[in-house]
C-alpha cells in the first residue's frame, strides 16, 4: 500500500515505489468526470459533449509534472531521426526557445515521443483526474478565474512559455500548466460520455482528444478541466503539445 505525503504541492511516495523522475503519482480511486448545467451555460461555458457528470474509478498512474519542452523533444528527434516540427523551420518565421513547452506536434508524434521515453499518452479520464482531483473543480487551481493565473489570451503574452512559469496553475496533485500554455494530447478517441444521447458523425475512431488551455484561446471555457477538443490524429498546430503518463505497478 502507498502512503502519500503532500509536500510542496505534489504527492511523493513515503514507502513503496517512488514516482519516476519528473512525474507525480495520481492515486487510485474515484473521481467525478464531466460537467453539468450547474457548472455554467450549456453550449457556451459547458460543451454539450461534456455532460453528464459521472463517477469513474481509475487505477493509480503517474503523469509528468510539467509539459515536455523543446529541448526534451529535440533529443527524441535527434536520437530517433524523427521529423522536426514544422515550427522549427527557419521559414516559419517563429523563434523557438529550448526551454519553452514543445508544440506543433500531432497525436502520432506525441505518442511516438512518449513511447520513446518509456511512457505513454494519458487517457482522457486520467488527464481530467490529474487536472481536477476529486472535488470536481472547474479549473486546476479551483473554481474561480482571474487574469494572470495561467497562460491564456487573458495574460496577453502572445507566446508559449517555459513550463511552471505560472505557479498558481497547479492541480491538486502538483501538476503544472493544465489550464494554459499548450493543449495536450491524450490517447482517447472522441466518444460520447455514458448517458449522453448526443449524435455526432465525429464520434468514433476518427478524432483524438486534446485537453487543457492554450495561449491562443480564452480561459473560459477552453482551460476548464472538462473542456474537450477533438482533432484528427495527424494534425499538428502551434498550440498542440504533450505531457506523458505511465501506469503505476
Amino acid at each position: 500500500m502507498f502512503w502519500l505525503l503532500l509536500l510542496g504541492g505534489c504527492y511523493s511516495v513515503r514507502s513503496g515505489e517512488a514516482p519516476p523522475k519528473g512525474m507525480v503519482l495520481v492515486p487510485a480511486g474515484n473521481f467525478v468526470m464531466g460537467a453539468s448545467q450547474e457548472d455554467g451555460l450549456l453550449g457556451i461555458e459547458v460543451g454539450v459533449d461534456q455532460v453528464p457528470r459521472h463517477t469513474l474509478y481509475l487505477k493509480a498512474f503517474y503523469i509528468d509534472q510539467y509539459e515536455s519542452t523543446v529541448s526534451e523533444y529535440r533529443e527524441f528527434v535527434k536520437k530517433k531521426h524523427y521529423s522536426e516540427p514544422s515550427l522549427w523551420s527557419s521559414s516559419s518565421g517563429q523563434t523557438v526557445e529550448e526551454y519553452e513547452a514543445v508544440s506543433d506536434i500531432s497525436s502520432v508524434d506525441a505518442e511516438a515521443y512518449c513511447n520513446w521515453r518509456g511512457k505513454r499518452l494519458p487517457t482522457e479520464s486520467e488527464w481530467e483526474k490529474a487536472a481536477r482531483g476529486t472535488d470536481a473543480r472547474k479549473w486546476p487551481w479551483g473554481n474561480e478565474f482571474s487574469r494572470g493565473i495561467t497562460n491564456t489570451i487573458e495574460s496577453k503574452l502572445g507566446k508559449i512559455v517555459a513550463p511552471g512559469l505560472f505557479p498558481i496553475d497547479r492541480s491538486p496533485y502538483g501538476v503544472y500548466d493544465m489550464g494554459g500554455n499548450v493543449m495536450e494530447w491524450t490517447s482517447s478517441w472522441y466518444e460520447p460520455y455514458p448517458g449522453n444521447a448526443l449524435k455526432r458523425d465525429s464520434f468514433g475512431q476518427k478524432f483524438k482528444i486534446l485537453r487543457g488551455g492554450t495561449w491562443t484561446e480564452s480561459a473560459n471555457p477552453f482551460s476548464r478541466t472538462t473542456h474537450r477538443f477533438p482533432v484528427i490524429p495527424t494534425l499538428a498546430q502551434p498550440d498542440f503539445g504533450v505531457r506523458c503518463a505511465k501506469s503505476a505497478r
Side-chain angles (χ1 to χ4, degrees):
M1 178 179 181
F2 288 110
W3 291 91
L4 302 175
L5 175 65
L6 185 61
L7 179 63
C10 64
Y11 284 105
S12 60
V13 180
R14 180 176 291 178
S15 62
E17 185 177 3
K21 183 179 179 180
M23 305 188 84
V24 299
L25 175 69
V26 178
N30 292 330
F31 86 106
V32 176
M33 185 171 183
S36 71
Q37 294 187 35
E38 297 177 358
D39 298 311
L41 295 174
L42 190 63
I44 299 177
E45 295 175 309
V46 175
V48 293
D49 61 352
Q50 298 171 30
V51 297
R53 283 190 175 194
H54 52 289
T55 300
L56 287 182
Y57 174 87
L58 295 182
K59 294 181 179 180
F61 64 96
Y62 304 111
I63 193 164
D64 288 346
Q65 189 169 20
Y66 300 100
E67 295 164 333
S68 293
T69 63
V70 169
S71 177
E72 290 169 334
Y73 195 82
R74 192 181 298 280
E75 182 183 7
F76 159 68
V77 166
K78 289 182 177 179
K79 291 187 176 180
K80 295 296 291 184
H81 305 288
Y82 202 84
S83 298
E84 294 183 350
S86 299
L87 199 62
W88 294 6
S89 171
S90 58
S91 62
S92 71
Q94 301 290 320
T95 300
V96 178
E97 304 289 353
E98 295 295 301
Y99 57 79
E100 71 185 35
V102 69
S103 66
D104 199 31
I105 59 175
S106 69
S107 172
V108 176
D109 300 331
E111 185 174 21
Y113 167 74
C114 287
N115 288 343
W116 175 75
R117 292 185 62 188
K119 304 178 184 182
R120 58 175 174 79
L121 287 176
T123 65
E124 186 180 14
S125 55
E126 286 175 336
W127 193 99
E128 187 165 322
K129 182 176 182 180
R132 73 190 313 195
T134 58
D135 59 0
R137 56 184 59 189
K138 295 178 182 178
W139 283 277
W141 54 84
N143 291 319
E144 300 295 332
F145 176 81
S146 60
R147 195 177 78 181
I149 284 181
T150 188
N151 187 18
T152 54
I153 280 181
E154 289 83 358
S155 295
K156 298 184 178 180
L157 293 177
K159 63 179 182 179
I160 298 171
V161 298
L165 190 64
F166 289 81
I168 297 177
D169 185 359
R170 184 180 65 193
S171 83
Y173 302 105
V175 186
Y176 288 82
D177 300 304
M178 302 189 91
N181 213 24
V182 294
M183 289 186 280
E184 302 162 14
W185 286 105
T186 74
S187 63
S188 297
W189 294 104
Y190 186 45
E191 298 279 8
Y193 288 161
N196 188 319
L198 187 65
K199 304 294 183 184
R200 284 184 172 173
D201 291 339
S202 53
F203 287 147
Q205 296 190 7
K206 302 176 183 178
F207 298 91
K208 287 293 181 77
I209 296 292
L210 281 153
R211 285 302 199 105
T214 166
W215 65 280
T216 63
E217 300 288 352
S218 61
N220 192 17
F222 297 102
S223 67
R224 287 179 176 237
T225 56
T226 57
H227 187 262
R228 313 173 75 194
F229 193 72
V231 175
I232 298 171
T234 54
L235 182 65
Q237 291 290 319
D239 54 354
F240 293 179
V242 61
R243 183 194 308 271
C244 303
K246 190 172 185 177
S247 300
R249 297 179 181 177

